[in-house]
Amino acid sequence: MPVPKRVLTVFGTRPEAIKLFPVLHALEQDDRFDSRVCVSAQHRAMLDSVLEIAGLSPHYDLDLMKPNQSLDALTAAALTGLGAVMDEEKPDWVVVQGDTTTVMAGAIAAYYRQIPVCHVEAGLRSGDIYRPWPEEVNRKIVGSFATLHCAPTETAAKALRSENVDPKTVHVTGNTVIDALHWVTKEVAAKPELASGLADIEARFAGKHIVGMTSHRRENFGEGMEAIASAVREIASREDVAVIFPVHLNPNVRSVMNEALAGLDNVALIEPLDYPHFARLLDIAHIMLTDSGGVQEEAPALGKPVLVLRETTERPEGVEAGTAKLVGTDADTIIAEVGKLLDDTDAYEAMARAHNPFGDGHASQRICDLLAG
């Protein structure tokens, strides 16, 4: 019997964990692999909640999170910490996902050791190196030398080929976030108690259109975040609307949102949700208002229109398909676009019924097969 390939999967944030746990489940169940896991804990509490629900116990936990940590300090700590793990494990593959500082540092540490890198969710491009920042450049760095590029869509694959990436290394797999959403939806159906924590809020807002909300992007800090808060305040003044907003832990988000929205009858500012509860929020929401990348992929899988609080997106497929619309951070524009979806049934249905271009729920198995060679 062939010796299993040792695969070291590296991640550090909640979105990475969500998109990688289906891959890790597939690796663990496949005799072709010896699966090892290292987390940087770039996000601590939000990461841990996903690890728990997915039943994952990392072999290494670098616990790098520090208050107000600079990007260069985080990068240096991640690069040296992940490098030490690779020196100990000597993996045949290093798997990274997406665009975080952990992804970039993990890929470079592997490159320094001439270990092949598999980049999950490769090829996303906004075309603006400062939007999203620093994620756009992190992706481009990894895309310049990864051995295996697992592109979620043909658009992402084309972006890689246009950058002269060897076409033989680029494969369209679909996005693993759809695998994850299918998994957690089944879990919640079998164990409703996993997502029962929103029951009181659901009862409080019964009969209203729920606007689900997330916002955390660095490029929106300051004036952009203040404009978003102003828009949400106006939207929530409608009697037929309620806003549920799991507020990111970053003080650049919390301070602005608490000042503008705390105490409003039609707004629930709540702590960040674990994955089953976030899936429940997607399910009960009428509209999702977000600057998150993952929500642009997840919400359409449940038929929910997405208004994107950004000027550009590295996920143009959703905009092209009609499942998402860029609205930026201008308060008047946000208010108008939310109002249109609330008041114009045809406009709402056009987005809700558009085809989700991001996958079929089988991306993780395709990635395992590619790693097996």
Side-chain angles (χ1 to χ4, degrees):
M1 184 175 178
V3 176
K5 291 184 178 182
R6 176 162 290 192
V7 177
L8 176 66
T9 304
V10 172
F11 56 99
T13 67
R14 167 193 161 120
E16 289 167 271
I18 289 172
K19 293 182 178 183
L20 281 173
F21 81 70
V23 179
L24 291 169
H25 286 175
L27 287 170
E28 290 168 358
Q29 296 162 13
D30 195 322
D31 291 340
R32 296 175 294 180
F33 302 106
D34 172 16
S35 177
R36 310 289 286 176
V37 178
C38 175
V39 297
S40 70
Q42 183 179 333
H43 292 170
R44 179 76 271 172
M46 292 186 286
L47 170 69
D48 289 345
S49 68
V50 180
L51 296 175
E52 181 178 359
I53 188 64
L56 298 176
S57 297
H59 301 88
Y60 300 89
D61 188 334
L62 303 183
D63 198 21
L64 297 182
M65 184 177 181
K66 295 180 181 178
N68 298 314
Q69 189 167 214
S70 67
L71 284 173
D72 45 5
L74 174 60
T75 300
L79 185 60
T80 55
L82 295 170
V85 171
M86 292 175 201
D87 287 340
E88 182 171 340
E89 287 291 326
K90 297 179 171 56
D92 298 299
W93 281 98
V94 167
V95 175
V96 295
Q97 189 283 330
D99 57 14
T100 68
T101 299
T102 297
V103 170
M104 184 264 289
I108 290 176
Y111 167 71
Y112 285 167
R113 290 156 180 82
Q114 299 185 33
I115 301 168
V117 172
C118 169
H119 189 195
V120 177
E121 199 185 63
L124 277 63
R125 299 288 186 270
S126 73
D128 184 338
I129 64 171
Y130 294 109
R131 297 174 186 270
W133 173 78
E135 290 84 1
E136 177 79 358
V137 165
N138 288 342
R139 276 189 202 274
K140 287 173 70 70
I141 289 171
V142 181
S144 69
F145 62 80
T147 306
L148 176 59
H149 305 263
C150 297
T153 65
E154 180 57 31
T155 298
K158 286 180 180 177
L160 289 164
R161 291 192 290 265
S162 73
E163 294 172 358
N164 295 319
V165 172
D166 183 351
K168 294 192 294 295
T169 69
V170 178
H171 301 267
V172 178
T173 60
N175 198 307
T176 57
V177 75
I178 306 302
D179 303 27
L181 189 61
H182 287 178
W183 182 88
V184 78
T185 300
K186 290 177 183 177
E187 285 288 297
V188 170
K191 307 171 187 175
E193 67 275 10
L194 290 174
S196 62
L198 291 176
D200 289 346
I201 295 174
E202 291 182 47
R204 171 183 162 191
F205 293 151
K208 296 181 183 291
H209 290 307
I210 302 296
V211 175
M213 171 84 189
T214 73
S215 185
H216 70 277
R217 286 286 178 190
R218 290 175 184 267
E219 64 264 30
N220 284 342
F221 289 174
E223 291 182 3
M225 201 64 63
E226 291 169 3
I228 291 168
S230 176
V232 173
R233 186 180 182 90
E234 179 66 24
I235 291 162
S237 68
R238 291 180 52 141
E239 288 297 320
D240 62 337
V241 170
V243 177
I244 300 179
F245 188 174
V247 185
H248 197 277
L249 297 175
N250 192 300
N252 291 292
V253 180
R254 291 212 153 194
S255 61
V256 173
M257 296 304 169
N258 284 334
E259 182 176 350
L261 304 174
L264 297 184
D265 290 342
N266 279 3
V267 177
L269 297 179
I270 60 177
E271 292 300 306
L273 297 173
D274 64 19
Y275 191 42
H277 283 93
F278 191 74
R280 177 61 182 168
L281 176 58
L282 291 176
D283 193 34
I284 65 175
H286 188 66
I287 301 165
M288 286 301 299
L289 194 59
T290 185
D291 60 13
S292 165
V295 176
Q296 295 174 56
E297 301 155 344
E298 294 166 309
L302 299 179
K304 305 306 168 76
V306 183
L307 297 179
V308 184
L309 302 167
R310 292 162 62 178
E311 303 298 333
T312 62
T313 179
E314 67 282 17
R315 294 167 173 83
E317 299 92 337
V319 177
E320 292 165 5
T323 61
K325 186 172 185 178
L326 292 171
V327 299
T329 59
D330 177 74
D332 290 340
T333 302
I334 296 167
I335 293 164
E337 292 295 342
V338 171
K340 182 178 180 180
L341 290 177
L342 290 170
D343 298 328
D344 185 336
T345 301
D346 290 340
Y348 183 89
E349 290 298 328
M351 292 188 73
R353 293 179 178 175
H355 170 68
N356 182 10
F358 292 108
D360 60 3
H362 300 289
S364 298
Q365 188 57 55
R366 294 187 186 103
I367 291 167
C368 281
D369 292 341
L370 290 167
L371 287 168

